[in-house]
Amino acid sequence: MSAHFMTILINVLIAIEHPNTPAEAQRAWERERAVGVMQIRPICIKQVNETYELRVYATFGRPLVVEDCQSEAISRWVAVQYLTYCRDTFIEKNGRNPSMFELARCWNGGPNGYRRQSTIEYQRRFMNALQTYQKAK
């Protein structure tokens, strides 16, 4: 994935995920323990810590915790790692690079999210947000 591809993907995911108010952020925390502009959940942090342990320690000096994702910079860093993990898992299973839409579905539904029926609506939301993003550029 190119840096440009990843930047677009993450910016559009933020457009979808970012809580609009502190009350929305609090509800996301209470409902799913989701944090920050990308609504990162503990399972995502666990996967990044396990898969990229040396990279996490080299960057932060300790394992990440979900509360670290209150920082937009850390949320973006975690997203790059997690989406890279999803891409690599996808290539291993399918023998090709995933599309931006397939990766968005993985963001929503985990490494196999691109196959889940439950992520189809998220793909539609992603497509709409991508169109808005492209028009603004």
Side-chain angles (χ1 to χ4, degrees):
M1 286 181 289
S2 72
H4 181 69
F5 176 95
M6 187 64 78
T7 298
I8 293 170
L9 176 59
I10 289 175
N11 285 340
V12 175
L13 290 172
I14 288 172
I16 295 168
E17 297 284 349
H18 190 283
N20 292 318
T21 67
E24 284 182 16
Q26 183 61 33
R27 282 193 299 274
W29 173 252
E30 291 168 357
R31 189 177 58 248
E32 304 178 61
R33 295 295 184 242
V35 174
V37 297
M38 300 197 68
Q39 293 297 282
I40 294 176
R41 291 154 183 82
I43 190 70
C44 179
I45 295 296
K46 182 178 187 277
Q47 188 66 60
V48 169
N49 280 333
E50 289 175 0
T51 305
Y52 300 108
E53 180 179 6
L54 294 177
R55 193 176 300 166
V56 170
Y57 273 89
T59 305
F60 301 100
R62 61 174 174 76
L64 290 168
V65 294
V66 73
E67 291 82 3
D68 291 328
C69 294
Q70 292 174 9
S71 158
E72 183 174 339
I74 293 175
S75 287
R76 286 176 176 273
W77 189 90
V78 167
V80 168
Q81 308 317 305
Y82 186 75
L83 291 165
T84 299
Y85 166 75
C86 290
R87 179 208 58 200
D88 294 347
T89 301
F90 184 97
I91 291 170
E92 203 174 280
K93 292 179 180 180
N94 298 286
R96 65 175 177 82
N97 280 313
S99 70
M100 194 175 285
F101 302 117
E102 288 164 325
L103 281 175
R105 290 178 69 187
C106 289
W107 181 257
N108 180 245
N112 294 311
Y114 67 95
R115 295 189 300 195
R116 293 196 170 118
Q117 198 70 20
S118 62
T119 63
I120 291 173
E121 173 60 23
Y122 193 84
Q123 179 177 325
R124 186 192 63 72
R125 290 176 55 207
F126 182 87
M127 290 167 50
N128 290 339
L130 179 61
Q131 287 177 343
T132 301
Y133 178 84
Q134 290 171 329
K135 286 178 187 174
K137 289 292 171 186

